[in-house]
Amino acid sequence: MTAASTIRSTTPRIGTATADFATVDTPIGPFTAVVDADGAVLAAGWTTDVAYLCTVVHPSLRPGDLRQRDDLGAVTGAVIAYHQGDLTAIDPIPVRQHSGEFLMHAWDVLRKVPAGAPITYTEFAAISGRPDATRAAANACVSNAAALFVPCHRIFRIGGALGGFRWGLPVKRWLLDHEA
């Protein structure tokens, strides 16, 4: 095996040349998703500002070009189904993010927090394997580019305070109420 092939096999894919995006209306506002050529979600959130969404994608995954679509197939279907009450519709959708080992693991853990069973940042840190790293667990939520599909809205502060959310606390409250 050459050094070049070793590097390719251990580093994330270099950003996709072209990514597709689509926006759908939801009860809490427009929701935009950006997907790579494989259909994996790179970024998503309650906005129409696709340029902003791309700024939160890790540079190694950030697309060079964007192509607007009316529909992203399974991704669009999952967003609509979720907002209509099928809370598990988002679960099988692939997501592609990149960061350090802990954040990658923490995002995987977030995808396993069930709808209707939110946990605290402290609990999230513990089930992510670093019980003393509550700030690092909170950073996983802050750094998450694929809102909804990596449901960071299911994490709150001790005592029930919502904490922060990139898309605003009213959106987070709606999501938690929707899943309750």
Side-chain angles (χ1 to χ4, degrees):
M1 181 178 278
T2 67
S5 63
T6 301
I7 291 171
R8 265 184 261 139
S9 68
T10 60
T11 58
R13 294 168 20 144
I14 302 305
T16 185
T18 301
D20 293 328
F21 74 96
T23 302
V24 296
D25 289 325
T26 75
I28 47 178
F31 184 91
T32 301
V34 178
V35 301
D36 69 9
D38 297 331
V41 174
L42 297 173
W46 291 266
T47 183
T48 59
D49 189 348
V50 70
Y52 170 72
L53 276 176
C54 287
T55 67
V56 298
V57 174
H58 190 276
S60 68
L61 300 174
R62 197 170 292 148
D65 294 309
L66 293 168
R67 186 172 42 206
Q68 185 170 9
R69 301 288 188 196
D70 291 333
D71 188 291
L72 298 174
V75 172
T76 299
V79 171
I80 292 167
Y82 170 87
H83 285 88
Q84 290 177 344
D86 180 356
L87 304 179
T88 62
I90 59 174
D91 296 348
I93 301 299
V95 172
R96 184 163 289 121
Q97 297 193 87
H98 180 70
S99 191
E101 184 178 331
F102 176 74
L103 288 183
M104 297 290 288
H105 173 69
W107 291 327
D108 287 341
V109 169
L110 276 171
R111 293 201 79 186
K112 294 174 183 138
V113 176
I119 59 175
T120 66
Y121 289 103
T122 303
E123 292 167 321
F124 175 42
I127 63 174
S128 294
R130 293 182 60 190
D132 295 328
T134 302
R135 285 183 191 229
N139 188 47
C141 293
V142 169
S143 303
N144 174 29
L148 187 62
F149 300 99
V150 178
C152 57
H153 64 273
R154 295 178 184 161
I155 313 301
F156 60 92
R157 290 183 179 159
I158 291 175
L162 292 181
F165 190 58
R166 181 186 316 259
W167 307 109
L169 294 184
V171 171
K172 185 171 185 173
R173 171 53 49 210
W174 188 93
L175 294 167
L176 291 170
D177 290 347
H178 180 61
E179 294 179 352

